[in-house]
Amino acid sequence: MKKIFMMAIAAAAITITSCNGNKNAAPVEEAIDTLAVLTEEANTAADEFTSNFAGLLESKDLPSIQGLLETVKTKIAEYIGKNPEVALGYVSKVQSFLKDNAETIKAVVGSNAVISGLVSNITNIPTESVQTLLGASEALGALGIDTKSLVTNAAESAVEGAIDNAKEAVGDAADAVKDAAADAVQDVKDKAADAVQDAKDKAADAVDKGADAVKKGLGI
């Protein structure tokens, strides 16, 4: 599944590069900026989770603990759809906290099967690599996450984005050709007008010189 996702991204990049020529730097830089923002967002979300969960464990607020774990499910699905590498980092951080505080969580949660199940399912997601994460259909499926669908949709979005960018690039190229042609025509017109004016000036100057010569010959 990662291969499908990465192939789509590669195809998008190739399309953008081929159509935009010297403009290809902009989409690449934009993609890098987007990844940096998404990574920072995921790191912040993971930090907020650990901080909030720690507080809820102290207060033993089980409904809020369950709600927070449900949010983690949503975040995992969101990040898998946007970028599996980012999802891997987010899951790893969440799991680290849950594992480090396993005994405390067990003591607070007690016999609450829903919360225990959520903790177990999140903790059991394999995080050795992106491939193992995306291949964990059973572990993610237990959380209601359809990895194949998420990655396929992400790949399709990447391709659609590449097509849109290609169309825009073609339109820009056509406009550039039209502008260049218009500039060339205007340049010819300007040069022709300058030549006509120059001829008029020379003709007028010749007439004046001829008239002066006639007057001089007549002694006027």
Side-chain angles (χ1 to χ4, degrees):
M1 278 179 277
K2 182 191 178 188
K3 185 176 181 181
I4 295 173
F5 182 82
M6 297 309 294
M7 285 176 65
I9 297 301
I14 291 171
T15 304
I16 294 170
T17 301
S18 300
C19 295
N20 285 3
N22 292 334
K23 285 182 165 185
N24 67 311
V28 172
E29 291 173 359
E30 183 178 344
I32 292 173
D33 290 342
T34 300
L35 176 58
V37 170
L38 185 61
T39 300
E40 180 62 27
E41 176 191 314
N43 288 336
T44 299
D47 291 341
E48 289 179 350
F49 165 77
T50 57
S51 176
N52 292 336
F53 203 95
L56 293 175
L57 284 176
E58 290 184 7
S59 63
K60 299 181 180 180
D61 185 347
L62 297 187
S64 295
I65 288 176
Q66 181 177 334
L68 192 56
L69 292 170
E70 293 287 352
T71 299
V72 169
K73 282 174 46 179
T74 302
K75 288 291 183 183
I76 292 173
E78 176 187 342
Y79 294 138
I80 288 176
K82 290 181 177 179
N83 189 300
E85 290 281 359
V86 173
L88 183 66
Y90 174 76
V91 173
S92 296
K93 287 189 173 183
V94 170
Q95 285 184 344
S96 179
F97 176 84
L98 293 177
K99 291 176 181 178
D100 289 345
N101 295 274
E103 293 303 320
T104 303
I105 293 172
K106 188 181 297 184
V108 171
V109 172
S111 60
N112 190 308
V114 175
I115 296 178
S116 296
L118 285 169
V119 171
S120 177
N121 289 334
I122 293 171
T123 305
N124 288 336
I125 297 173
T127 56
E128 290 81 5
S129 66
V130 169
Q131 287 88 342
T132 58
L133 172 65
L134 296 182
S137 57
E138 184 175 345
L140 292 170
L143 292 169
I145 299 174
D146 184 351
T147 312
K148 183 177 180 180
S149 176
L150 288 171
V151 175
T152 300
N153 290 340
E156 290 175 351
S157 296
V159 172
E160 289 173 0
I163 292 173
D164 290 340
N165 286 330
K167 288 180 179 178
E168 183 179 349
V170 170
D172 290 344
D175 290 340
V177 171
K178 289 179 182 178
D179 292 341
D183 290 342
V185 170
Q186 188 59 49
D187 186 54
V188 171
K189 288 182 179 179
D190 292 342
K191 288 181 178 179
D194 290 342
V196 171
Q197 187 60 48
D198 185 56
K200 287 181 179 179
D201 292 341
K202 287 180 179 179
D205 186 56
V207 170
D208 290 340
K209 287 182 178 180
D212 290 341
V214 171
K215 289 178 181 179
K216 186 176 181 181
L218 295 174
I220 299 175

